Amino acid sequence: MSADLQTITLPTGKKLEVHTHLFINNEFVPGHGPLIETINPATEEVICAVHSADESDVNAAVEAADKCFNEVWRKVAPAEKGRLVNKLADLMERDKEELAALDALDNGKAYTVARDIDITESIGCFRYFAGWADKIHGKTIDTVADRWCYTRHEALGVVGAVIPWNYPIMMAAWKFAPALATGNCVVMKTSELTPLSMLKFAALAKEAGFPAGVVNIITGYGHTTGNFLANHKLVSKMAFTGSTGTGRKIMESSSASNLKKLQLELGGKSAQVVCADADLENAAVMACGGIFNNHGQSCNAGSRILVHSSVLDKFLELFVKATDETIILGDPFAEETYQGPQISKGQFDKILNYIKIGQEEGATLYKGGKRWGEKGYFIEPTIFINCKNNMRIMQEEIFGPVVGIATFETIDEAIAMANDSSYGLAGGVYTSSVDTAIRVSNEIKAGTVWVNTYDIFDQSTPFGGYKQSGFGKELGKYALQEYTQVKVVKFQLLNTGL
Amino acid sequence: MSLTTEFTTADGYKLTLNTGLFINNEFVEGSSTIETINPSTGQVITAVQAAEAKEVDAAVEAAHKAYYGGWKNSCPRERARLMHKLADLVERDIDELAHIETLDNGKPLKDALSFDVPGLAGQLRYFAGCTDKVHGKVIETQGKLSYTIHEPIGVCGGIIPWNFPLAMLSWKIAPALAMSNTVVIKTSELTPLSALKLGSLIVEAGFPPGVINIITGYGHVAGDLLARHMKVSKIAFTGSTAVGRLIMKAAAETNLKKVTLELGGKSPNIVFDDVENLDEAVFWSRLGIYMNAGQVCCAGSRIFVQEGIYDQFIEKFKALAASGTVGNPYDANTIQGPQISERQFERVMGYIESGKEEGATCLLGGNRVGDSGYFIEPTIFTDVTTKMKIMQEEIFGPVVAITKFKDVDEVIAMAHDTDYGLAAAVFTSSLKRAITVSNRLEAGTVWVNCYNQISENVPFGGYKQSGNGRENSVYALDNYTQIKAVKINIGL
């Protein structure tokens, strides 16, 4: 059986020790599921193999979390919980480079992006929620005389979390931070495609001083490990980020098991609306990032751009210019790289297939459309124009660096097109008119609407979808509701006894 | 001229004290000096620079410039980072700060170590967590986008007392800074040293110059100037009700600056005969009056005991009050240090005299302890009537008046027979009684089966002439916020 710590070598030549076992009850323990090899998508080579969790491991993790919650964690003072979360943020800050390198190696995102966006924002997320720990307030509520009523906002207990591979640490932070600050214990299943950085995080959680059982991190496949977690009767809530298809399965599992609470962050096909009065230079730059950031592997990717017909040519010219100037493909560890490879062979094939479908449907391939390089799952930034909103490439989530551009004549038409989707995660509008900005953002049926920008996140503002993009909010004060349950206590004040 | 001085405490701890005024991140000279006394010995510790008109102006100008120069629009996370950093440094230097506090104020060192200095760090951390959580509302209005923003006020003045120098400083600066105000704090001329030490840590933490300014000065000089200053947009005061009136008057006569006041108290501690554990009630009641040598605004200085347990309560309370050392604050066994100054000492002794003269029974204490320093024995008066001075006026010393009552309506009437309304306590095992009595009591804090339990996340402040506004908890942010409503017309 392989040891927990394995030495791997980064493309820079630097050697790192990585954990490969399961992290349960503050210990790294062997897993009983199959060994899973994790691949470097830039080289297609195996980095190392990690242990995965079978049903007995999932049970062990959940039971450890449950015991810890009932016997230890719920008795820890709120300010102390906040202090531990802040301490974890301090340690992530200390080991920032290592965490970023692991994400870049395992996911393929550019190291500079991992360091400056993923890890930086994750640290900010922990610090933000640390400040909430001692500010979770119930209410006192007056009803009638001789009755004393108040609410408590209590922790749920054991939270199960299943996170995707596109932002390995950040997706974990968005779940851990509010879950811990509100007093829950967590069992998190990371993606089998990107297990490494969160195992390093696990070591930091132990170093920070969290009691054993508060933080548990296990690797495994969704249909096995994830499924066991989603069906476990001691798990009070599942927080899931991933595909809509898997979201449905998790909802079914909740229904079949213990009606555990759910929070789903699913797919998207978000529209960016470029109005005739937009600052086109700004729109082009923002819209470019809006689709091509993270190699198009963002649930909120602005993968449809709806442009007013009068400014299409100018916008397109500026958009291509922005793409050429900023979307530099290359080795994730090279300083100038902005776009690395797609996460896996499976995703790579899927995206190339959508590019084929787009052409078959009659959209015009304006730029890109092919693999980049000979090794690694790199795909060129790809632009389709002359799209119709009912095309598959305009309705289905591609999750790659492929954007479909369509035109509109009136604002009403743009709004209708933007809303003509089963998804409702995000949207964008580019305009110089206050009226248009307010009207369009009011009308778009999405959980986030960006105005004159895109893909800008902040720990204080909530994120979460409308329609089949899911339900529940991450980030901001709104996230606290997802990890607490409200109990009302009503005393009848008697003349006798109590 | 040197603006530091070396001092070795009675327990051998070496201190380097700052003696300048802390303005714009620098220690500077004042227009005069004030000597600060060690109340445990009556000896001068050192002289510190005192602020008069010129220095108050300089401090306010620095705060004003810092506010409009970037602090007002500073990134919330940066403010949080600085506040956490300052808390880290306070914790690093806890021994030093606690020693300065005990030297200048006289409180037992173990209190400074377990309550005062940790309280400062705790306030900073609590409010650091608030900076990026200030939310306005979006309000549905036809044809408009209407919303509120919660903005800072500007330069906030704080005038703090001598009883908990560092803790009182933190109660003012933490919420003010969290809301991106800048501050000018006038400390008490009796206890300037610990705050000035904090000035060094403020610089080390990296706060921009002018954001926090700390000046020593007399209330009627620097305090009055601050309360009247046209560029100070808000004043927060903790101290006596008499001075609170002057501050309100000063604000009225100048720029109508916003005023919050934490004033005096004569808080009633009500012990019902159904207490589950009389020893516990006695323990808390003793803490309620003798903590900090009675120099606590919310001290439970009137105890009302239901007649059924009155005799037992008195016996146990007297025994407990008589136990415990009053003396050397560096001694681990000491539970009570000196009164803060000769003047306060005389004042408390004066009240003890008046109690005797008005016919109350001095059941315990009533005398000075030792012959140097301002130590007074824990003192109990019984056989009091509600109109006696010792039942009406705030003594601010280790003197409690205890009387008996029959029923709840009677005791609530007696409890309310005061201009004050800062705190109150109820000891009972009946939940109904606890809830209904705390509902009826006119006080900003009501403790049930405990006393003097204060935390940074629960609001604290007075009813009636004990003041207005709340400190601690998110409620405190209201004191440092002004609300702007914006309505955007959507034309089309």
Side-chain angles (χ1 to χ4, degrees):
Chain A
M1 136 133 61
S2 56
D4 171 46
L5 283 170
Q6 307 274 324
T7 305
I8 60 170
T9 308
L10 297 176
T12 56
K14 184 171 171 159
K15 287 194 187 317
L16 282 180
E17 272 204 322
V18 295
H19 290 278
T20 60
H21 285 193
L22 309 176
F23 184 74
I24 296 177
N25 217 31
N26 268 10
E27 297 303 330
F28 285 97
V29 294
H32 300 92
L35 279 181
I36 300 180
E37 285 183 337
T38 184
I39 314 269
N40 174 349
T43 61
E44 304 176 39
E45 285 159 13
V46 173
I47 304 169
C48 66
V50 298
H51 285 212
S52 71
D54 73 354
E55 190 168 8
S56 73
D57 299 317
V58 173
N59 288 343
V62 172
E63 281 158 29
D66 187 63
K67 185 161 191 272
C68 173
F69 177 75
N70 287 310
E71 294 174 15
V72 178
W73 192 230
R74 66 193 309 196
K75 298 175 191 166
V76 172
E80 173 63 8
K81 287 179 173 132
R83 198 190 63 76
L84 286 168
V85 176
N86 258 323
K87 178 75 187 171
L88 181 54
D90 290 343
L91 296 175
M92 289 176 72
E93 186 82 55
R94 182 194 71 191
D95 293 353
K96 196 171 185 178
E97 278 88 21
E98 192 176 327
L99 289 166
L102 288 172
D103 260 3
L105 184 71
D106 216 359
N107 166 284
K109 61 178 73 209
Y111 168 76
T112 54
V113 171
R115 183 193 61 205
D116 300 338
I117 308 271
D118 291 57
I119 311 304
T120 300
E121 292 196 8
S122 299
I123 292 169
C125 182
F126 280 108
R127 294 205 192 287
Y128 175 82
F129 282 101
W132 276 118
D134 55 0
K135 302 173 181 72
I136 314 271
H137 303 141
K139 299 177 196 294
T140 56
I141 303 166
D142 279 340
T143 54
V144 299
D146 273 2
R147 209 169 285 156
W148 178 43
C149 303
Y150 60 90
T151 58
R152 287 172 51 85
H153 292 203
E154 301 189 336
L156 297 169
V158 177
V159 167
V162 172
I163 59 166
W165 44 260
N166 56 347
Y167 298 89
I169 289 187
M170 203 156 82
M171 292 295 97
W174 286 17
K175 299 204 178 359
F176 266 116
L180 297 176
T182 50
N184 298 282
C185 293
V186 181
V187 177
M188 173 172 285
K189 182 198 90 61
T190 53
S191 166
E192 70 279 10
L193 296 175
T194 51
L196 297 177
S197 55
M198 283 308 289
L199 290 171
K200 161 81 185 166
F201 171 92
L204 297 183
K206 182 173 180 176
E207 189 186 340
F210 282 91
V214 175
V215 172
N216 303 277
I217 296 172
I218 57 182
T219 312
Y221 293 108
H223 61 279
T224 50
T225 314
N227 198 41
F228 296 133
L229 197 55
N231 280 292
H232 204 296
K233 298 250 170 71
L234 289 180
V235 171
S236 302
K237 171 217 167 94
M238 278 297 283
F240 171 73
T241 299
S243 71
T244 297
T246 307
R248 287 184 200 289
K249 292 209 183 77
I250 295 198
M251 209 166 188
E252 283 163 12
S253 296
S254 164
S255 142
S257 60
N258 63 345
L259 285 172
K260 50 174 63 60
K261 287 143 197 35
L262 295 171
Q263 178 177 5
L264 306 177
E265 294 279 356
L266 308 175
K269 195 70 186 180
S270 306
Q272 306 189 60
V273 177
V274 181
C275 300
D277 65 354
D279 173 339
L280 292 177
E281 290 244 22
N282 175 63
V285 169
M286 291 297 151
C288 170
I291 174 57
F292 296 127
N293 284 348
N294 214 43
H295 329 168
Q297 299 170 138
S298 281
C299 43
N300 58 277
S303 48
R304 294 180 289 152
I305 305 181
L306 312 177
V307 185
H308 191 268
S309 56
S310 68
V311 294
L312 175 68
D313 292 341
K314 186 70 192 161
F315 173 77
L316 203 51
E317 184 194 323
L318 292 165
F319 184 74
V320 168
K321 178 163 173 281
T323 305
D324 289 338
E325 281 171 7
T326 52
I327 313 298
I328 312 295
L329 275 72
D331 163 17
F333 285 86
E335 194 67 23
E336 65 280 0
T337 297
Y338 192 74
Q339 181 178 322
Q342 306 310 119
I343 184 64
S344 65
K345 180 91 174 47
Q347 283 297 118
F348 175 81
D349 289 342
K350 184 173 168 228
I351 296 161
L352 288 176
N353 191 45
Y354 269 111
I355 292 171
K356 184 153 150 287
I357 288 170
Q359 291 169 286
E360 282 164 8
E361 288 185 300
T364 307
L365 178 61
Y366 190 76
K367 181 181 163 63
K370 302 187 308 299
R371 180 186 203 180
W372 181 89
E374 264 133 59
K375 197 159 70 114
Y377 311 121
F378 296 85
I379 296 179
E380 296 175 324
T382 300
I383 302 173
F384 278 101
I385 60 170
N386 297 324
C387 298
K388 299 270 170 285
N389 208 49
N390 59 3
M391 287 177 178
R392 284 184 66 188
I393 59 166
M394 292 291 270
Q395 286 290 320
E396 295 171 34
E397 190 179 38
I398 300 173
F399 226 64
V402 180
V403 69
I405 300 183
T407 56
F408 65 89
E409 301 305 321
T410 67
I411 295 288
D412 283 341
E413 193 190 336
I415 290 169
M417 279 166 67
N419 287 340
D420 178 20
S421 167
S422 60
Y423 295 111
L425 190 50
V429 55
Y430 299 91
T431 176
S432 57
S433 152
V434 169
D435 272 10
T436 304
I438 294 177
R439 190 151 82 83
V440 175
S441 47
N442 281 0
E443 296 298 317
I444 288 187
K445 294 186 177 131
T448 299
V449 182
W450 282 291
V451 180
N452 291 337
T453 186
Y454 206 88
D455 207 21
I456 301 301
F457 283 84
D458 192 284
Q459 291 89 38
S460 316
T461 52
F463 180 81
Y466 280 29
K467 296 155 66 174
Q468 291 184 44
S469 288
F471 45 81
K473 290 297 182 205
E474 305 204 87
L475 302 180
K477 185 179 184 185
Y478 293 83
L480 301 176
Q481 278 150 228
E482 310 293 338
Y483 291 93
T484 51
Q485 45 194 353
V486 179
K487 170 191 291 173
V488 66
V489 181
K490 304 176 88 154
F491 283 87
Q492 183 62 47
L493 303 174
L494 305 171
N495 285 317
T496 57
L498 197 67
Chain B
M1 109 162 339
S2 173
L3 294 172
T4 62
T5 191
E6 304 292 312
F7 191 93
T8 304
T9 63
D11 68 340
Y13 197 95
K14 287 191 182 347
L15 294 169
T16 303
L17 302 169
N18 292 324
T19 58
L21 302 171
F22 183 68
I23 298 176
N24 220 29
N25 269 14
E26 285 174 354
F27 288 96
V28 297
E29 282 178 38
S31 293
S32 50
T33 60
I34 298 178
E35 283 184 338
T36 184
I37 311 259
N38 175 352
S40 302
T41 62
Q43 305 293 309
V44 173
I45 302 166
T46 185
V48 296
Q49 300 296 311
E52 296 182 15
K54 179 159 145 262
E55 293 81 26
V56 172
D57 269 340
V60 172
E61 276 311 309
H64 192 260
K65 191 149 174 266
Y67 180 70
Y68 287 105
W71 191 250
K72 177 184 182 191
N73 297 313
S74 56
C75 173
R77 250 143 265 153
E78 175 59 9
R79 294 200 299 282
R81 191 187 68 76
L82 289 169
M83 291 172 75
H84 271 295
K85 179 73 188 173
L86 184 57
D88 289 343
L89 296 176
V90 165
E91 285 167 357
R92 181 194 70 190
D93 294 353
I94 184 172
D95 264 342
E96 183 179 35
L97 289 165
H99 270 88
I100 298 177
E101 201 78 316
T102 290
L103 174 67
D104 214 3
N105 167 284
K107 62 180 69 217
L109 181 64
K110 68 173 189 291
D111 288 358
L113 284 168
S114 62
F115 181 77
D116 296 68
V117 183
L120 163 62
Q123 280 277 319
L124 288 167
R125 292 199 193 289
Y126 180 87
F127 285 99
C130 288
T131 62
D132 55 2
K133 300 174 177 66
V134 177
H135 304 142
K137 300 180 194 294
V138 174
I139 303 162
E140 282 305 311
T141 40
Q142 277 294 87
K144 294 184 182 51
L145 176 63
S146 303
Y147 60 92
T148 58
I149 18 183
H150 290 204
E151 300 196 333
I153 300 180
V155 175
C156 296
I159 297 175
I160 61 171
W162 44 259
N163 56 345
F164 295 92
L166 287 174
M168 292 294 98
L169 178 86
S170 71
W171 285 26
K172 304 274 178 290
I173 68 174
L177 296 174
M179 282 302 302
S180 41
N181 298 280
T182 54
V183 296
V184 177
I185 303 291
K186 185 203 87 61
T187 54
S188 164
E189 70 280 8
L190 297 175
T191 51
L193 297 175
S194 55
L196 290 176
K197 191 61 175 176
L198 191 70
S200 299
L201 299 184
I202 287 166
V203 175
E204 191 182 343
F207 278 89
V211 170
I212 309 170
N213 305 276
I214 300 172
I215 58 179
T216 313
Y218 289 110
H220 60 279
V221 177
D224 185 65
L225 287 163
L226 201 55
R228 289 180 182 281
H229 206 291
M230 297 300 280
K231 281 187 171 171
V232 171
S233 303
K234 182 250 161 64
I235 191 106
F237 170 75
T238 298
S240 71
T241 296
V243 176
R245 288 183 200 289
L246 294 175
I247 301 226
M248 214 171 195
K249 184 156 176 279
E253 288 173 354
T254 53
N255 64 348
L256 283 172
K257 54 174 61 61
K258 287 127 195 46
V259 178
T260 51
L261 306 169
E262 294 278 358
L263 307 175
K266 194 72 182 177
S267 304
N269 178 354
I270 304 171
V271 185
F272 285 92
D273 61 18
D274 67 351
V275 276
E276 201 160 318
N277 184 334
L278 188 57
D279 286 320
E280 275 202 29
V282 167
F283 167 85
W284 288 111
S285 301
R286 188 260 202 121
L287 182 80
I289 178 57
Y290 297 122
M291 176 175 136
N292 216 43
Q295 300 169 130
V296 182
C297 45
C298 51
S301 49
R302 296 181 290 151
I303 305 180
F304 300 92
V305 186
Q306 201 161 27
E307 50 185 24
I309 51 156
Y310 179 82
D311 292 332
Q312 289 167 271
F313 181 92
I314 291 290
E315 191 189 321
K316 286 177 185 278
F317 186 85
K318 184 180 171 188
L320 191 61
S323 73
T325 314
V326 177
N328 175 9
Y330 299 100
D331 186 334
N333 293 321
T334 297
I335 55 156
Q336 183 181 317
Q339 306 315 116
I340 186 60
S341 65
E342 189 174 352
R343 184 149 156 239
Q344 282 297 117
F345 173 85
E346 298 297 350
R347 191 155 167 265
V348 175
M349 295 305 287
Y351 274 112
I352 292 172
E353 265 317 297
S354 106
K356 292 175 185 169
E357 276 163 22
E358 287 190 307
T361 304
C362 183
L363 193 67
L364 180 76
N367 304 305
R368 185 183 195 184
V369 176
D371 47 29
S372 71
Y374 313 121
F375 300 87
I376 298 179
E377 294 177 319
T379 301
I380 302 174
F381 278 101
T382 55
D383 302 317
V384 295
T385 58
T386 57
K387 290 305 173 199
M388 286 179 179
K389 279 173 90 172
I390 57 170
M391 279 288 271
Q392 286 292 323
E393 295 177 30
E394 188 180 36
I395 299 173
F396 226 63
V399 180
V400 70
I402 310 184
T403 191
K404 63 170 81 157
F405 71 92
K406 244 194 191 43
D407 64 51
V408 65
D409 288 335
E410 181 199 350
V411 76
I412 287 180
M414 288 201 284
H416 287 165
D417 185 7
T418 171
D419 289 333
Y420 294 113
L422 190 49
V426 180
F427 287 85
T428 176
S429 62
S430 156
L431 181 69
K432 174 162 188 168
R433 184 167 267 168
I435 301 304
T436 51
V437 173
S438 33
N439 283 357
R440 286 173 73 181
L441 283 169
E442 288 165 4
T445 296
V446 181
W447 286 293
V448 178
N449 295 335
C450 61
Y451 209 95
N452 272 347
Q453 297 302 283
I454 295 183
S455 52
E456 63 267 346
N457 60 349
V458 177
F460 181 86
Y463 277 36
K464 296 158 66 172
Q465 293 186 39
S466 287
N468 59 61
R470 291 290 174 268
E471 301 198 275
N472 294 351
S473 83
V474 295
Y475 290 87
L477 297 173
D478 293 344
N479 299 346
Y480 293 97
T481 302
Q482 43 192 0
I483 307 210
K484 174 187 290 173
V486 180
K487 299 177 95 158
I488 301 180
N489 194 21
I490 307 164
L492 297 173

